[in-house]
Amino acid sequence: MARLITPGAISTLLSNPSLYSSSNDPEIVVQVVDLKPIGNSNTRFTFMASDGKMKLKAMLPTYSPSEVHSGKLQNLGLIHILDYTCNSILNQPEKYRKTMLLEMFGIYS
């Protein structure tokens, strides 16, 4: 079965700052866009989570570099968000003010 991006996923994430603040447990699938290391780091990565209409800046958990280095997680790939937290970052441009910190995710190839 082909996996599809969840329509309205970014709105759902922004309206529920963490998985546990949601009244239901929706399957949230987003596309990874602009995957890149943070600074000169080989262990921390950031990307834009996209649902096709909206984007949200996101950071991968610290255990995920092996997924990136092995090629399992790639730019334009799809991920299933299993656990997350959205935070507001002060002194950032409006489009980067909200950042999602992924806690757990699944990769669709």
Side-chain angles (χ1 to χ4, degrees), residues 50-97:
S50 172
D51 65 8
K53 290 189 178 181
M54 295 177 68
K55 293 181 183 175
L56 175 63
K57 185 174 181 174
M59 291 178 57
L60 293 175
T62 55
Y63 70 81
S64 64
S66 61
E67 304 289 354
V68 175
H69 297 300
S70 71
K72 288 181 184 176
L73 180 58
Q74 298 181 17
N75 199 35
L76 304 181
L78 300 180
I79 61 171
H80 176 200
I81 298 173
L82 301 170
D83 193 9
Y84 69 95
T85 302
C86 284
N87 290 326
S88 294
I89 309 295
L90 299 176
N91 302 321
Q92 290 292 317
E94 181 67 31
K95 69 179 186 176
Y96 297 122
R97 200 156 289 157

Side-chain angles (χ1 to χ4, degrees), residues 23-62:
S23 60
N24 55 11
D25 188 13
E27 179 169 308
I28 300 174
V29 177
V30 297
Q31 185 173 39
V32 174
V33 179
D34 197 23
L35 176 65
K36 59 186 175 186
I38 297 173
N40 293 328
S41 175
N42 232 8
T43 58
R44 298 290 295 163
F45 290 87
T46 186
F47 69 96
M48 297 298 286
S50 172
D51 65 8
K53 290 189 178 181
M54 295 177 68
K55 293 181 183 175
L56 175 63
K57 185 174 181 174
M59 291 178 57
L60 293 175
T62 55

